[in-house]
Amino acid sequence: MFIALIVGAALLGGLFGITRSSTYMAETLILLNESRGGSVFGSLSQGSDSDTDVFLNDQVAVMTSTTLALQVAGSLGMEPTLEAAEALLDDLTVTPVEDSHALTVSFASDEPAKSIETVNAFVTAYEEAASVALNGPYDDAIAALDGAITETEASVEALRTEISDEIAAATVDLREQRNEVLARMDQITEALPGADAATRTALIAELDALSVLLSSLESRIASAGSSPSIEARQGRLDSLSSDLDQFRARRSQLMVDSVTAASPIIARSEASTASSLAPGPTEGAAAGGLVGLLLAFGIAYWRATADPALDRQERL
């Protein structure tokens, strides 16, 4: 009977070890970009170091959300139901790495390939979802700048037209006089070669007088652009032109920033292996058998010491 007890216990322990399934865990590390997005007319706000824990906890919440799990379930060919999402989340672990902008993401299952595929699927789904959220502020800022640039360009063009029209209106008579003076000077220049001495002297004197008049007219035409009204418009034009340059420069910088921050993940280690967290069938059978043997010996010893008469009867 003692031998039968030992054999039975060993067999039961071995059977338990064989039927016990193994657990495999795949793990990956991701380094995150903590950009806060872009403002329209100011600089990007990077946030203080004290906000890092809040930022990382927010990312953990995103990665362990039911919404993301539903997306992962669909990408793995599963029915995207709440039950499937909850089952995935039960085996998912996301942990912030201390004093860093990194997260450790791991997934455990009874199949190594499933663990690897699922943990990589979670990271990919997170990257896609976070990219939309991360680039949203940049897109909004660029769109706002496009509107400001278009509006400012229209204002600049309108002011230039107003200034040009006012200058033209203020100098129309002066320009007509200048044209008349130029025409008369041309006539005198043509008449000089064939004129007699007295006429030549008179023509030269008139030409000198017209030259003085022309210089005066040119000066008056030039000074017409410095009237108080035109100067006010010119000042406004200079200010708008400066704003326009800043808007264009800001837009260019945001375009560069949006490309740089296109992904919330700066670096990631793609999971390619899964480590065993529990012994396999062979190791389990051996361990179970050993436990069974120890248990059988323990029971036999207890029976022998607890009831000496039974021990003597078995010896007889």
Side-chain angles (χ1 to χ4, degrees):
M1 181 177 179
F2 176 68
I3 296 175
L5 180 63
I6 294 176
V7 172
L11 288 175
L12 287 175
L15 181 62
F16 173 77
I18 292 174
T19 57
R20 183 182 179 185
S21 62
S22 300
T23 301
Y24 298 91
M25 176 174 287
E27 185 175 273
T28 182
L29 181 71
I30 59 175
L31 182 61
L32 301 177
N33 174 22
E34 193 185 353
S35 176
R36 298 303 202 270
S39 61
V40 178
F41 303 116
S43 60
L44 286 177
S45 161
Q46 189 63 25
S48 64
D49 292 339
S50 61
D51 294 331
T52 298
D53 290 341
V54 175
F55 168 75
L56 290 177
N57 289 332
D58 288 344
Q59 307 319 300
V60 172
V62 171
M63 191 169 291
T64 57
S65 66
T66 302
T67 301
L68 196 73
L70 287 170
Q71 182 179 340
V72 172
S75 70
L76 294 175
M78 303 167 59
E79 188 70 23
T81 62
L82 287 178
E83 291 78 7
E86 290 173 358
L88 289 173
L89 292 176
D90 286 341
D91 295 321
L92 178 73
T93 304
V94 183
T95 308
V97 178
E98 189 175 358
D99 297 327
S100 73
H101 288 80
L103 295 177
T104 298
V105 186
S106 58
F107 187 84
S109 75
D110 56 0
E111 299 177 18
K114 179 181 178 182
S115 298
I116 295 169
E117 182 182 16
T118 305
V119 75
N120 288 330
F122 265 101
V123 174
T124 299
Y126 163 78
E127 185 172 17
E128 293 173 354
S131 292
V132 175
L134 183 63
N135 286 306
Y138 287 102
D139 295 339
D140 294 342
I142 291 172
L145 281 169
D146 286 339
I149 289 172
T150 299
E151 182 179 349
T152 306
E153 285 177 339
S155 298
V156 166
E157 186 61 30
L159 272 174
R160 285 175 177 167
T161 300
E162 289 177 9
I163 292 172
S164 177
D165 290 347
E166 185 171 346
I167 291 176
T171 60
V172 61
D173 293 337
L174 295 174
R175 292 177 186 278
E176 289 179 358
Q177 293 179 44
R178 184 188 63 181
N179 292 338
E180 292 174 358
V181 169
L182 289 173
R184 177 55 185 164
M185 292 176 71
D186 289 340
Q187 292 175 356
I188 293 174
T189 301
E190 293 175 359
L192 279 175
D196 55 30
T199 303
R200 177 185 292 273
T201 301
L203 290 175
I204 291 175
E206 183 181 358
L207 187 61
D208 290 340
L210 290 173
S211 296
V212 173
L213 178 59
L214 179 62
S215 178
S216 175
L217 290 172
E218 293 286 3
S219 178
R220 292 171 63 187
I221 290 173
S223 63
S226 59
S227 67
S229 175
I230 293 178
E231 286 182 351
R233 284 191 171 91
Q234 187 62 52
R236 176 61 177 159
L237 178 61
D238 293 341
S239 176
L240 286 175
S241 296
S242 177
D243 290 343
L244 187 59
D245 290 340
Q246 291 182 19
F247 293 159
R248 287 169 175 166
R250 180 62 184 149
R251 187 185 189 282
S252 297
Q253 184 60 51
L254 281 176
M255 291 296 292
V256 173
D257 292 344
S258 66
V259 172
T260 304
S263 171
I265 297 178
I266 298 175
R268 62 182 284 186
S269 58
E270 193 83 7
S272 58
T273 60
S275 57
S276 177
L277 300 181
T282 302
E283 295 85 351
L290 179 59
V291 171
L293 287 173
L294 293 175
L295 180 61
F297 277 114
I299 293 174
Y301 178 78
W302 173 78
R303 290 187 62 191
T305 56
D307 190 353
L310 180 61
D311 183 53
R312 287 195 301 271
Q313 181 180 352
E314 287 184 351
R315 284 203 299 268
L316 292 175

